[in-house]
Amino acid sequence: MAAFSIHRDTLSLFLFIFLANPTFSLPSQTLIGNPNFDPQVVLFGDAKPANGDSHVVLTSPDDSSSGLIVLKDPFKFMEGNLTKGVSFSTEFLFSISAGNGDGLAFVVVPYDFPSRFVGQGSFGLLGENRFLGIEFDTKIDGNVGDLNANHVGVDVDTLESLWIKNISSLNLVLNNGETLKCWIDYDSSSKRLEVRLSRSGDKRPYKPILAYHIDLLEMWGGEDVLVGIVSTNGDSLQSTSVYSWRFRLRKVSSWMHSLPANPHDYVNTDGEDPGVHKRSFCALTILAGVIFATGCGALVAFVGLFMWAIFVSRHTVFPVEYQKGSTDFRYEKIKVTVEDTEGDKN
Ligand SMILES: *[C@@H]1O[C@H](CO)[C@@H](O)[C@H](O)[C@H]1NC(C)=O
Ligand SMILES: *[C@@H]1O[C@H](CO)[C@@H](O)[C@H](O)[C@H]1NC(C)=O
């Protein structure tokens, strides 16, 4: 009897750990002590720290090498009452060696993606049907309409890029081993995704290489998602490395930057019924005018009373002795100062 209950407890404990955090059930490695990475980075597949943890090598020049790093903690685009969802900003430094492998991609994936990450190619995204990928692609894949072997593409739920940028036109080469820096920003208010790319050490470019409208709140809703950087070398001799990675969520409550005087104004800002909006605006203007006029009247009355107090009641109310006393006091003070000065000289 006792043995059975222990066994059952152990089983439920295992079940609890597994269900609560499927990622932990996989062999994974964390990167400890490198300040260029968020402390929550977890490594999967062939991803491993190199040169004494100074950077992460995602893929090695072996057959079908694949590596993934993710931030351990999932998040939701729909956070409680934040009606506009959360925004994010991320930046990372990477390099891709020569060869026509798949390159590297920043991905937003379902929480259980790492448990399926077997890395047979195509960033492990083949067969996945829900993902956002920003790919730094160094191979022409005719199946998915690739432009050339040097492009950045945005993939949504399919490897056929929705938006593509020819990187050659920026005088950059993804796979010459040079360290490049990438910034990806998503703003949940404007639903705008921006991708920037430059050589390592260059300033953040003003102009994004890709900027598009996408509603990640609508895409993911309240689902738990993970963010990661993934690389698969597609049987080439290509090797990819990541030297730093930062990821920040911005949770801006919509009420913080749009406090409407009349809640109906807020509802109507999408322009469904501009008439109602205009009418309530007129009513508000009149109300504001009345309040302003009342305030002005009160101010004029106050100033009038004040003047009367000074010019009319001054001679009758204030005692003459007071002024005299004040003069005496000033005289006393000057005397003290003179004495002090003489004291300094001695
Ligand atoms: C939104 O939720 C947070 C935490 O749940 C709460 O502190 C805040 O008051 C809420 N804001 C509004 C406008 O309901
Ligand atoms: C990419 O840009 C380069 C340089 O501007 C150009 O030579 C090449 O034809 C472009 N490739 C495509 C597919 O547009």
Side-chain angles (χ1 to χ4, degrees), residues 43-280:
L43 285 61
F44 292 98
D46 297 331
K48 54 179 180 292
N51 275 2
D53 283 6
S54 74
H55 65 277
V56 176
V57 172
L58 285 180
T59 53
S60 46
D62 302 323
D63 291 347
S64 303
S65 180
S66 59
L68 165 72
I69 56 178
V70 296
L71 282 188
K72 196 178 86 200
D73 293 329
F75 69 92
K76 295 174 172 65
F77 279 96
M78 183 185 288
E79 281 281 355
N81 53 18
L82 304 182
T83 53
K84 286 176 181 163
V86 300
S87 305
F88 71 76
S89 291
T90 189
E91 54 183 78
F92 52 92
L93 281 168
F94 68 96
S95 73
I96 306 175
S97 77
N100 290 111
D102 297 324
L104 169 142
F106 170 81
V107 289
V108 180
V109 284
Y111 186 35
D112 54 357
F113 175 77
S115 67
R116 293 190 294 274
F117 182 70
V118 285
Q120 71 281 62
S122 307
F123 307 122
L125 294 172
L126 218 61
E128 292 288 320
N129 50 23
R130 291 176 54 61
F131 61 86
L132 167 73
I134 287 111
E135 54 167 51
F136 299 81
D137 199 341
T138 57
K139 181 163 77 177
I140 303 181
D141 198 339
N143 293 337
V144 293
D146 282 353
L147 189 71
N148 60 2
N150 192 36
H151 67 265
V152 176
V154 178
D155 305 344
V156 179
D157 296 346
T158 154
L159 286 166
E160 198 164 331
S161 299
L162 267 183
W163 308 301
I164 298 186
K165 178 74 181 183
N166 176 2
I167 292 304
S168 308
S169 65
L170 300 171
N171 262 328
L172 290 173
V173 180
L174 292 174
N175 61 347
N176 64 359
E178 187 177 11
T179 305
L180 300 174
K181 183 160 189 182
C182 171
W183 294 261
I184 300 169
D185 301 279
Y186 174 69
D187 177 58
S188 59
S189 298
S190 57
K191 310 204 185 315
R192 197 171 146 93
L193 181 77
E194 295 184 345
V195 182
R196 289 175 169 79
L197 185 68
S198 77
R199 292 188 173 84
S200 149
D202 284 0
K203 276 206 329 248
R204 175 186 161 102
Y206 176 70
K207 212 177 152 221
I209 58 166
L210 284 166
Y212 286 99
H213 185 275
I214 180 170
D215 191 344
L216 294 181
L217 176 61
E218 192 188 312
M219 177 176 173
W220 293 103
E223 208 176 310
D224 274 329
V225 296
L226 284 178
V227 289
I229 300 175
V230 62
S231 176
T232 51
N233 76 354
D235 284 339
S236 74
L237 294 179
Q238 190 172 73
S239 167
T240 54
S241 297
V242 179
Y243 303 92
S244 69
W245 181 27
R246 295 247 177 269
F247 181 86
R248 293 288 172 266
L249 280 180
R250 278 176 287 126
K251 301 177 185 181
V252 182
S253 305
S254 51
W255 55 268
M256 277 179 68
H257 51 79
S258 59
L259 246 184
N262 175 355
H264 295 292
D265 286 355
Y266 183 57
V267 173
N268 285 322
T269 45
D270 284 339
E272 301 238 301
D273 186 359
V276 172
H277 193 216
K278 218 168 185 165
R279 267 202 307 280
S280 55

